[in-house]
């Protein structure tokens, strides 16, 4: 995985016109994003939610309670690098499996946690079962893992409101004097107002390399590192990486955040989540109104920000955390619990 110092500025789509702005953000590339003058800041998921996104203040007692809930709800039996690594026995019934892996848990702040946990477990069980099911015919289509639904079930543990396609609205905005459009994979919205967005989410099952996760399951060597990048440079030898994701994914994600920015619950910016298989990256695009106005009205390459006024847009991002790994999941849980607790507590922004 490349560090920021290894950042490449080559276009991922071979676009020869540096000032060309595709109207759909799904066609955006890295060389275009470089023209926005965005400064990138690596941070921790909980720090990002509490101090940068910062919907409202959390007291030290509330943070202590979040840590307690994480310990209660961490699902310690699930500790794997990938779905392929999870053991499966054809003879084991779902009821037996879910009781073993998802014990009943009571948390006053998450009244539906056990029910939602069972729903997540059911989908996980079905996914693993399908992965291990051999094909009966030579021309039978292979089973493809639906990572998006899996992550939606995971988010539901925190009782977040989710809006998915086809009901998902297309976002439209003016960038560099042109109208652009974008459509996220799904949105986390405010509990009492579906028009207001908490987070723009997108799920990338794989990169463009010839790598797929189909049944029957093939055994893979366990990586030596405790961190597993679900889409790695080895899997995508022809793709450079930006902030832990392929450059086209990074560019298009920034485009989505800009497009949905006006619908954010916060005027100062919009949070995002990028999922690559079972790995999660939290992001937050912070843009001052005067800086956004420059991006909206000026031409590509002509946007100039005054360093003395701190006008540069900031893109906060985290490392990847695998929600199948117990220690990584605790980090994800803490960030999502903070998000949920802020939403429930009030909207004093």
């Amino acid at each position: 995985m490349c560090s920021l110092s290894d950042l490449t500025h080559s276009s991922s789509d071979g676009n020869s016109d540096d000032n060309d702005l595709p109207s759909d953000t799904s066609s955006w590339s890295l060389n275009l994003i470089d023209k926005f003058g965005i400064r990138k800041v690596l941070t921790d998921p909980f720090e990002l939610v509490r101090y940068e996104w910062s919907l409202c203040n959390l007291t030290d007692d509330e943070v202590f309670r979040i840590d307690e809930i994480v310990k209660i709800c961490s699902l310690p039996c699930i500790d794997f690098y990938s779905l392929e690594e999870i053991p499966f026995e054809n003879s084991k019934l779902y009821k037996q499996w879910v009781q073993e892996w998802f014990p009943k848990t009571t948390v006053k702040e998450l009244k539906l946690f056990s029910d939602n946990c069972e729903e997540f477990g059911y989908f996980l069980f079905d996914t693993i079962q399908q992965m291990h099911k051999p094909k009966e015919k030579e021309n039978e289509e292979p089973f493809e893992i639906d990572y998006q639904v899996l992550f939606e079930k995971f988010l539901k543990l925190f009782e977040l409101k989710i809006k998915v396609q086809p009901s998902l609205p297309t976002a439209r905005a003016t960038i560099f004097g042109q109208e652009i459009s974008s459509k996220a994979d799904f949105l986390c919205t405010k509990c009492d107002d579906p028009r207001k967005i908490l987070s723009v989410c997108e799920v990338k099952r794989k990169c463009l390399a010839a790598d797929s996760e189909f049944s029957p399951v093939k055994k893979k060597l366990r990586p030596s590192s405790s961190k597993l990048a679900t889409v790695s440079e080895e899997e995508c030898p022809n793709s450079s990486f930006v902030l832990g994701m392929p450059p086209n994914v990074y560019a298009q994600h920034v485009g989505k955040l800009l497009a949905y920015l006006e619908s954010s619950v916060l005027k100062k910016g919009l949070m995002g989540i990028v999922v690559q298989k079972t790995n999660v990256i939290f992001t937050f695009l912070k843009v001052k109104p005067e800086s956004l106005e420059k991006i909206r009205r000026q031409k590509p390459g002509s946007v100039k920000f005054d360093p003395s006024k701190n006008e540069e847009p900031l893109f906060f991002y985290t490392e990847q955390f695998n929600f199948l790994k117990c220690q990584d999941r605790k980090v994800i849980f803490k960030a999502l619990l903070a998000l949920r607790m802020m939403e429930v507590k009030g909207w004093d922004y």
Side-chain angles (χ1 to χ4, degrees), residues 285-298:
L285 181 63
K286 187 175 183 179
V287 188
K288 291 184 175 182
E290 55 270 25
S291 301
L292 182 60
E293 192 62 26
K294 288 184 178 181
I295 292 174
R296 284 172 173 167
R297 302 305 172 192
Q298 296 188 22

Side-chain angles (χ1 to χ4, degrees), residues 23-232:
S23 60
D24 190 334
T25 62
S26 64
S27 299
W28 284 20
S29 57
L30 183 61
N31 66 334
L32 172 64
I33 293 299
D34 287 341
K35 300 179 187 300
F36 289 89
I38 297 172
R39 183 157 59 90
K40 307 167 190 69
V41 182
L42 177 64
T43 187
D44 169 82
F46 178 71
E47 300 290 308
L48 183 152
V49 173
R50 186 182 186 187
Y51 296 114
E52 304 304 337
W53 187 67
S54 189
L55 188 62
C56 65
N57 293 325
L58 290 178
T59 66
D60 291 341
D61 287 342
E62 288 168 335
V63 173
F64 179 77
R65 178 56 183 163
I66 288 173
D67 288 331
E68 287 185 324
I69 298 173
V70 169
K71 293 177 183 177
I72 296 171
C73 302
S74 60
L75 305 174
C77 292
I78 302 175
D79 193 22
F80 303 97
Y81 286 99
S82 65
L83 292 173
E84 296 88 348
E85 194 182 74
I86 299 177
F88 178 78
E89 301 175 23
N90 286 316
S91 60
K92 184 173 289 188
L93 300 176
Y94 165 70
K95 186 176 181 180
Q96 179 185 359
W97 187 86
V98 77
Q99 288 175 348
E100 177 183 340
W101 292 66
F102 295 89
K104 292 288 184 181
T105 303
T106 302
V107 182
K108 64 179 181 180
E109 290 87 353
L110 299 172
K111 294 179 174 61
L112 301 177
F113 183 80
S114 285
D115 291 342
N116 290 334
C117 207
E118 185 172 345
E119 184 177 336
F120 173 66
Y122 183 83
F123 186 80
L124 184 61
F125 178 85
D126 181 59
T127 299
I128 298 168
Q129 188 179 54
Q130 293 294 328
M131 286 170 58
H132 286 264
K133 179 183 177 181
K135 290 192 298 182
E136 296 179 356
K137 299 178 181 179
E138 187 66 30
N139 61 348
E140 184 179 341
E141 288 293 324
F143 173 73
E144 183 172 346
I145 300 168
D146 196 334
Y147 286 100
Q148 178 170 328
V149 175
L150 184 63
F151 189 66
E152 287 172 11
K153 301 294 185 185
F154 180 80
L155 281 181
K156 196 172 180 181
L157 298 177
F158 307 93
E159 301 176 8
L160 295 168
K161 300 296 184 183
I162 298 174
K163 185 180 289 187
V164 300
Q165 297 188 28
S167 62
L168 199 66
T170 298
R172 303 187 187 280
T174 299
I175 302 294
F176 291 154
Q178 303 176 45
E179 183 180 273
I180 59 103
S181 63
S182 187
K183 204 160 192 176
D185 289 329
F186 62 98
L187 302 173
C188 291
T189 61
K190 189 179 176 185
C191 61
D192 61 347
D193 187 352
R195 296 171 300 175
K196 294 296 183 180
I197 300 172
L198 299 179
S199 178
V200 172
C201 308
E202 54 185 312
V203 179
K204 303 300 178 183
R205 187 182 67 80
K206 62 178 182 176
C207 64
L208 298 179
D211 172 70
S212 58
E213 304 290 347
F214 299 131
S215 67
V217 174
K218 297 179 181 179
K219 291 186 178 180
K220 294 189 177 183
L221 294 176
R222 181 192 294 265
S224 57
S225 172
S226 60
K227 291 285 184 192
L228 175 67
T230 44
V231 181
S232 67

